[in-house]
Amino acid sequence: MRRGIAASALVAALAVSMAACSSSGSGSDAKGDGGPVTITYWDTSNATNEAPNYQELVKKFEAANPNVKVNFVNVPFDTAQNKLQTAMGAKGAPDVFRAEVGWTSAFAKAGYLEPLDGTPALADASVFQPSLIKQATYSGKVYGVPLVTDTLALMYNKDLFAKAGITAAPTTWDELKADAAQLKEKAGVDGFWLKAGDGYYAMPFLYGEGTNMVDAAGKKITVNSAEAVKAVDTYKSMFTSPGTAKADVTTDAYAHMMDAFNNGKVAAIIQGPWEVTNIYKGTAFADKKNLGIAAVPNGSTGKGGAPTGGHNVSVYAGSDAAHKAAAEKLAAFLTSAESQTFLALKNGTLPTRTDAYTDEVKANPGIADFQAILTSAQPRPELPEYASLFGSFGTNLGKIVQDQSDTKAGLDATATDYAKLLPDFTK
Amino acid sequence: MAVAVAQRIRLSYSKYWYAYAMIAPVVIVLGVLVGYPLVRGIYLTLTNATSLNVGRQIGVNHIPDSFDFIGLDNYADVLWGPTAYDRFWSHFIWTVAWTAICVVLHYGIGLGLALLLNRKMRGRGLYRLVLILPWAVPTFVTVFSWRLMLADGGAVNGLLSFLHLPEPAWLSDPLAQKAAAILVNTWVGVPFMMISLLGGLQSIPQELYEAAEMDGAGPWQRFRHVTLPGLRTVSSTVVLLGVIWTFNQFAVIFLLFGSGAPDAQILVTWAYRLGFGQQPSDYAQSATYGILLLSILIVFTTFYRRWLARNEKANG
């Protein structure tokens, strides 16, 4: 145990020293105008298959701008929000970084982000999808340049569906359950695997009942409304009905789900485009055409929807003018049509601007299918606390699918947590 | 009176100045590393500080603190606010149970192994080395290995299915999670107990055993009346350390379950989640948990030492 303490202290010390190495922050290496400036860029993309391509873009930027050096740091996505939060409030913050769309309004509210309206970063504002610009807006100012966008879709294995005699993707949750049972019976694999105890992956169920975790406009907590209870009951049945994988709430659940899908052990999952490149590497998808991508099924309202995700490039408000100018240049470069096309072809992510959808990009089957679904993606409300709402929701969903609390009680507990986060909302 | 006190201080200073000089560095370091954070932590528990309202320096702009002093509200909220059972008491009960079960297992298995290793036998050094390994391997390596073995398709359930026994979902079912956590922590904690108790055993003079045997004491009686009293000082120390360490055993729980498993979180990991594992971070609540943990341990230690002292008297 002593040993453990020493080891963790060592790890902590290493982490601190690494952070110290990677923090240029707002150094004073700017030599007036035109001198070389070194800016730090925090990349939050997947380190193995996405980051190298971002690094390549940064190299291109350096070649085009000889007086700007970029210190490229890849920060694991799952810890990035806390690392940014800590660094921006103290020392060692990056000058420019890739941030999940859900973080933008919270960071803007805390005063960490530079408004980008009228700066070189947003020179092409008019060609971006308006809903994405709106999503990066807080109190009337834009705080991030949309870099990639995504939404959740139903991804399925066409071979397995054909083997079970299913010709079209299911359009309602009930159909999906019927298909899952048929897949189990005729193709001998689990029909559907849903990531359990994760609020983000439960959103399509809420949208399918025409509700959300909160009603931001009406300042009301709706996570325990009758519609939400109905949605979560449907969600829960996705783990118990025949042919569906049982709820996996372990830390490695995500990896388990993707392994099973990529190797043809499960026929359908709910997933976003960021995994498409990985899926193509799986044994079941050696032929890329085998991957079917359809809109998430509809709920009882006959409508469906999935959250709009993706990432923006934001600039830190605490850097000095020279660093900010260089950071804005990099933000403009990373989100330019050329860069976005490059990322789309390399990473399979969806561009955020219309002029980046070249014929070559549209020829990529994953991107074309997703572009069709994007129309039903639901934008997030402009609510700084919105990203914080997933935590308690996910925790209680985990309890609900494991039968530790009934649906209403679990959602009531979430509503109680929300009331703390959002004191001016009514329950 | 005051003059006398001042004189006494001056006297002790002139007499023992070198002693003060010797401990000064330690006092300063402890003050900076322990004292200040502790005082600051206690202060935070009396406010409603979160990551949104504490002061921060953004480049050249300074945003001042905007949190308020709210007295003991945090304590009231944690101990008997709405959903206090789910947030505090359920974790408190589990933490106490976890500590008791783990320490009993650590001590019991550690003592058994120490008695085995205390015999003269061939390859004793090798056995000792093998048994120390779990302690020598970095904790995260151990825990991640267990995580792979305990997974649904892992080695543990493979063995159980081979024996036609039920296969619990070690990492997701609430009860099985707790069992898994205790199992892994026992694995990690036994070697320390074993080594300490082995040291204690080797310091018991052999003559005592010989004398006991002459008086016709059987093996159980020898163990009961020679070994256990001989180990008393070592035992009391390692059990106290074991309780404190297990109570605050962050690594095993955190690495085994990550941020899932709300029911298997002990108070320390739960406090971490409030302070660092969510947005906005609730510094005040997290600090409140920290202070409550510290209070629980202080109360426990006080009673434990009293109980020891009474035992010493009774047996002395």
Side-chain angles (χ1 to χ4, degrees):
Chain A
M1 278 193 252
R2 260 272 169 76
R3 195 57 78 114
I5 293 170
S8 45
L10 185 68
V11 170
L14 277 176
V16 168
S17 59
M18 273 153 79
C21 293
S22 66
S23 67
S24 83
S26 42
S28 52
D29 50 4
K31 299 183 183 65
D33 48 352
V37 181
T38 303
I39 54 171
T40 301
Y41 165 67
W42 278 13
D43 181 64
T44 55
S45 67
N46 179 307
T48 42
N49 37 5
E50 291 187 321
N53 300 317
Y54 280 99
Q55 199 148 7
E56 200 170 318
L57 276 183
V58 167
K59 286 212 175 74
K60 283 185 190 170
F61 171 79
E62 284 180 315
N65 298 278
N67 58 352
V68 182
K69 288 254 173 302
V70 182
N71 176 12
F72 180 96
V73 183
N74 180 271
V75 182
F77 176 74
D78 53 350
T79 57
Q81 190 183 5
N82 285 326
K83 283 204 169 117
L84 281 164
Q85 172 87 36
T86 311
M88 291 194 294
K91 279 201 170 54
D95 302 292
V96 53
F97 55 94
R98 174 183 183 267
E100 217 255 348
V101 291
W103 308 344
T104 304
S105 54
F107 285 160
K109 184 184 179 187
Y112 295 138
L113 305 183
E114 187 69 8
L116 299 171
D117 311 72
T119 65
L122 266 180
D124 309 343
S126 55
V127 294
F128 287 93
Q129 287 178 20
S131 65
L132 298 177
I133 292 283
K134 192 171 174 304
Q135 203 165 236
T137 306
Y138 177 70
S139 301
K141 290 205 177 83
V142 184
Y143 287 94
V145 194
L147 172 69
V148 294
T149 182
D150 62 57
T151 186
L152 292 175
L154 180 76
M155 294 190 184
Y156 60 100
N157 185 324
K158 287 179 184 167
D159 281 352
L160 291 174
F161 269 55
K163 208 188 259 184
I166 304 165
T167 48
T171 54
T172 66
W173 297 115
D174 289 335
E175 261 179 57
L176 176 56
K177 278 189 263 190
D179 286 354
Q182 204 171 322
L183 278 154
K184 186 80 190 173
E185 200 180 320
K186 295 190 174 156
V189 292
D190 277 339
F192 180 62
W193 184 320
L194 182 60
K195 185 162 187 310
D198 185 327
Y200 196 75
Y201 287 82
M203 290 311 288
F205 294 85
L206 292 181
Y207 289 130
E209 300 303 327
T211 183
N212 197 331
M213 296 183 284
V214 294
D215 170 5
K219 291 211 175 247
K220 193 167 167 14
I221 293 169
T222 52
V223 78
N224 54 348
S225 62
E227 294 84 8
V229 171
K230 188 172 177 187
V232 174
D233 277 334
T234 310
Y235 170 85
K236 190 177 169 178
S237 70
M238 285 297 163
F239 303 102
T240 51
S241 79
T244 55
K246 73 177 179 64
D248 179 353
V249 293
T250 60
T251 323
D252 303 315
Y254 189 88
H256 293 165
M257 171 175 79
M258 292 319 295
D259 276 349
F261 184 68
N262 297 353
N263 300 315
K265 293 192 175 65
V266 62
I269 53 172
I270 302 274
Q271 193 50 289
W274 59 86
E275 280 292 342
V276 169
T277 342
N278 275 343
I279 290 173
Y280 286 154
K281 288 180 193 157
T283 51
F285 299 96
D287 172 16
K288 294 183 181 179
K289 289 199 178 61
N290 188 30
L291 177 65
I293 295 173
V296 293
N298 297 333
S300 65
T301 57
K303 283 206 285 287
T308 307
H311 296 270
N312 298 328
V313 181
S314 292
V315 174
Y316 179 52
S319 308
D320 61 22
H323 284 80
K324 273 183 199 166
E328 281 157 6
K329 263 192 207 160
L330 178 62
F333 181 86
L334 288 176
T335 54
S336 67
E338 201 185 325
S339 302
Q340 293 209 12
T341 305
F342 170 83
L343 289 173
L345 295 174
K346 290 279 191 180
N347 293 346
T349 48
L350 303 173
T352 56
R353 45 195 291 167
T354 43
D355 53 0
Y357 283 96
T358 58
D359 293 341
E360 201 185 349
V361 171
K362 284 184 188 156
N364 177 327
I367 293 184
D369 291 341
F370 260 104
Q371 207 193 353
I373 297 169
L374 276 180
T375 46
S376 67
Q378 310 279 338
R380 298 172 188 226
E382 185 186 313
L383 183 69
E385 293 84 4
Y386 195 74
S388 317
L389 298 180
F390 290 105
S392 165
F393 187 41
T395 303
N396 284 303
L397 283 175
K399 287 190 177 182
I400 290 167
V401 296
Q402 290 196 287
D403 280 326
Q404 292 169 54
S405 62
D406 74 62
T407 308
K408 180 78 176 105
L411 294 176
D412 282 342
T414 303
T416 310
D417 290 340
Y418 285 4
K420 271 197 186 152
L421 279 171
L422 304 161
D424 54 346
F425 275 50
T426 52
K427 271 215 277 197
Chain B
M1 179 69 204
V3 177
V5 170
Q7 207 165 11
R8 196 166 329 146
I9 287 174
R10 209 174 18 239
L11 245 172
S12 91
Y13 175 76
S14 64
K15 208 165 167 184
Y16 300 118
W17 64 267
Y18 59 90
Y20 288 120
M22 288 285 170
I23 60 167
V26 178
V27 171
I28 291 165
V29 167
L30 281 181
V32 171
L33 291 181
V34 179
Y36 169 72
L38 186 64
V39 172
R40 171 90 187 156
I42 294 172
Y43 167 68
L44 279 179
T45 64
L46 306 175
T47 67
N48 59 3
T50 67
S51 55
L52 291 175
N53 59 18
V54 294
R56 45 196 179 268
Q57 186 71 32
I58 301 174
V60 286
N61 322 327
H62 180 73
I63 296 179
D65 287 335
S66 58
F67 55 84
D68 305 310
F69 186 85
I70 55 169
L72 295 174
D73 285 9
N74 280 321
Y75 292 93
D77 179 52
V78 167
L79 296 175
W80 52 82
T83 66
Y85 176 77
D86 268 340
R87 282 182 300 128
F88 179 82
W89 293 108
S90 62
H91 297 288
F92 173 76
I93 293 166
W94 160 230
T95 307
V96 171
W98 145 268
T99 308
I101 296 169
C102 282
V103 172
V104 167
L105 284 172
H106 285 170
Y107 186 81
I109 299 173
L111 182 59
L113 290 172
L115 286 171
L116 283 178
L117 284 180
N118 200 25
R119 295 162 183 261
K120 296 253 183 299
M121 54 181 172
R122 208 173 292 176
R124 193 162 71 162
L126 182 72
Y127 289 123
R128 205 178 291 184
L129 194 72
V130 170
L131 285 168
I132 295 177
L133 266 184
W135 187 28
V137 174
T139 313
F140 72 93
V141 175
T142 315
V143 179
F144 282 172
S145 318
W146 276 105
R147 205 162 97 183
L148 287 174
M149 289 192 280
L150 290 166
D152 284 353
V156 175
N157 279 355
L159 183 68
L160 289 175
S161 80
F162 177 73
L163 299 173
H164 298 291
L165 292 166
E167 300 169 47
W170 293 109
L171 298 176
S172 48
D173 176 69
L175 196 66
Q177 272 175 341
K178 292 178 179 177
I182 289 172
L183 172 77
V184 175
N185 193 36
T186 305
W187 171 265
V188 173
V190 161
F192 167 78
M193 287 283 185
M194 181 190 81
I195 291 297
S196 313
L197 292 171
L198 188 57
L201 284 176
Q202 288 176 338
S203 69
I204 300 174
Q206 204 55 40
E207 295 83 28
L208 286 179
Y209 286 105
E210 285 162 12
E213 222 163 340
M214 297 285 268
D215 293 342
W220 169 247
Q221 282 166 307
R222 287 205 296 274
F223 173 76
R224 174 82 191 69
H225 295 287
V226 180
T227 310
L228 283 185
L231 283 178
R232 192 178 296 139
T233 41
V234 178
S235 297
S236 62
T237 311
V238 292
V239 167
L240 179 62
L241 281 177
V243 166
I244 293 174
W245 281 341
T246 309
F247 199 84
N248 292 332
Q249 176 55 280
F250 181 84
V252 167
I253 303 262
F254 182 76
L255 294 173
L256 207 53
F257 307 121
S259 55
D263 289 336
Q265 304 285 342
I266 54 174
L267 286 169
V268 179
T269 54
W270 193 247
Y272 168 84
R273 193 195 277 211
L274 289 172
F276 305 96
Q278 58 172 34
Q279 292 290 340
S281 312
D282 199 338
Y283 299 141
Q285 287 261 324
S286 188
T288 308
Y289 274 81
I291 298 299
L292 284 169
L293 280 172
L294 183 67
S295 325
I296 294 167
L297 283 176
I298 288 173
V299 169
F300 165 78
T301 312
T302 318
F303 276 97
Y304 181 77
R305 298 209 32 198
R306 277 204 196 154
W307 175 78
L308 276 184
R310 216 174 323 147
N311 264 9
E312 286 290 310
K313 271 211 186 75
N315 293 322

